[in-house]
Amino acid sequence: MFIADTPYAATLADHLARSVRFALEEDLGSGDITAQLIPADTQASARVITREAGVLCGREWFDACFHQIDARLQLNWHVEDGDAVTPNQLLVEIHGAARSILTAERCALNFLQTLSATATAAHHYASRVESLPLAILDTRKTLPGLRLAQKYAVLAGGCQNHRLGLYDRFLIKENHIAACGGIQPAIAQAKRLHPDIPVEIEVETLAQLDEAIAAGADIVMLDNFDTDATRQAVERTAGRVKLESSGDFDLDRLNADLAAGASVDFISVGAITKHIQAMDLSLRLTMDESA
């Protein structure tokens, strides 16, 4: 998978360049004083392997870290974003100035290990529902500054994106409902403001579900409904609107809902982006024989 495959490719490419630039500035400060121990003309090669299984993601962030430091560095990838990888598998080879490789190393690995962790988590959920008419969505519970990067990683892992931010989709939640004076006026105001944008609203009870459907909601989010309540909501709705389940979902809860016939249209899972453990990667440098 590549950035160009996303529906927000231009925005994501700009996000990538800015986030990499910030990460390098944060790390470099006034300069890499340890890399200065090495003569500037010393050439080297490096190999990056993974020590664990997972789904790779973050190639273009990795490349940008090295090329913003030194555009002459050469990178040869053996895998693509979205590929499954196994322990000790070679991911990428790098050749060029030893100073440049060592300066860019940490930031590049940080992006690759974090986005691969996100893609791997997404894959666990996507593989469970791949034969079902059910989409697993991410949320806005992303790492600050890495919103679009993690959204991309979710796609690489096989799940789908919910809204990108507060600007591209309505999601009327409990506090919005209270501030607007109720479900009906909140939905009505949303449709007046942006009649071309689907309106999703969060409900906490079956009675609120009925009210949201009557008010013309396009999607209803079932907030923290247990398995039995979700099954009742599916039966009660009878396909009149799309239903989304949300609230501390994990694979065990997903399996329980599916077994009980509580099958909604979407399940949003914050854990895909916030409960992640970085993939264990290793970079090893080898000095050129001519050095």
Side-chain angles (χ1 to χ4, degrees):
M1 183 173 181
F2 298 96
I3 284 177
D5 299 325
T6 68
Y8 42 91
T11 303
L12 181 55
D14 178 65
H15 172 275
L16 182 157
R18 288 186 289 110
S19 59
V20 167
R21 184 167 58 250
F22 177 79
L24 290 171
E25 290 173 353
E26 181 180 57
D27 205 26
L28 277 169
S30 59
D32 183 353
I33 61 174
T34 310
Q36 292 171 13
L37 301 174
I38 304 163
D41 60 352
T42 299
Q43 299 292 294
S45 296
R47 292 161 51 92
V48 177
I49 65 167
T50 174
R51 291 197 175 103
E52 61 182 319
V55 174
L56 183 94
C57 187
R59 272 184 46 161
E60 293 177 80
W61 283 262
F62 188 93
D63 289 356
C65 286
F66 283 99
H67 287 149
Q68 283 193 24
I69 292 295
D70 185 347
R72 296 166 298 177
L73 290 172
Q74 300 173 15
L75 290 89
N76 178 31
W77 282 93
H78 295 266
V79 291
E80 294 185 359
D81 284 355
D83 285 354
V85 296
T86 57
N88 299 313
Q89 182 173 344
L90 175 63
L91 305 180
V92 59
E93 296 171 287
I94 309 159
H95 180 75
R99 276 190 182 185
S100 299
I101 294 172
L102 293 172
T103 296
E105 170 190 0
R106 184 68 267 156
C107 285
L109 289 174
N110 284 348
F111 280 109
L112 194 64
Q113 69 188 21
T114 300
L115 298 184
S116 294
T118 303
T120 300
H123 175 72
H124 291 323
Y125 284 88
S127 60
R128 178 64 184 86
V129 302
E130 60 185 350
S131 62
L132 301 173
L134 166 64
I136 304 295
L137 308 177
D138 55 24
T139 71
R140 287 169 48 243
K141 296 173 182 176
T142 54
L143 298 174
L146 287 182
R147 169 69 55 77
L148 289 185
Q150 283 197 286
K151 293 278 187 179
Y152 168 80
V154 166
L155 296 179
C159 290
Q160 296 182 23
N161 296 151
H162 204 286
R163 56 181 178 163
L164 300 181
L166 297 173
Y167 53 88
D168 63 325
R169 181 167 167 179
F170 282 112
L171 179 48
I172 303 169
K173 307 192 82 172
E174 176 187 7
N175 289 330
H176 300 105
I177 293 170
C180 290
I183 288 174
Q184 193 281 328
I187 292 175
Q189 177 70 345
K191 289 183 176 293
R192 280 194 295 270
L193 287 173
H194 297 283
D196 56 327
I197 298 178
V199 176
E200 180 172 2
I201 190 162
E202 175 187 88
V203 302
E204 297 177 328
T205 67
L206 292 171
Q208 287 185 335
L209 169 63
D210 292 338
E211 187 178 353
I213 294 173
D218 299 294
I219 306 170
V220 177
M221 176 185 284
L222 308 176
D223 182 42
N224 286 303
F225 277 45
D226 63 22
T227 296
D228 184 59
T230 301
R231 181 185 53 77
Q232 292 182 58
V234 170
E235 293 174 354
R236 200 166 185 143
T237 301
R240 289 177 291 165
V241 299
K242 298 290 187 181
L243 292 179
E244 175 184 334
S245 288
S246 181
D248 293 327
F249 260 84
D250 57 20
L251 287 170
D252 289 339
R253 170 63 195 278
L254 173 60
N255 290 333
D257 277 17
L258 294 176
S263 183
V264 294
D265 300 285
F266 310 104
I267 297 176
S268 52
V269 183
I272 292 174
T273 51
K274 70 187 181 81
H275 293 167
I276 58 171
Q277 181 173 328
M279 181 179 283
D280 190 3
L281 305 175
S282 175
L283 183 150
R284 286 290 178 265
L285 192 75
T286 302
M287 309 310 295
D288 282 5
E289 293 181 2
S290 58

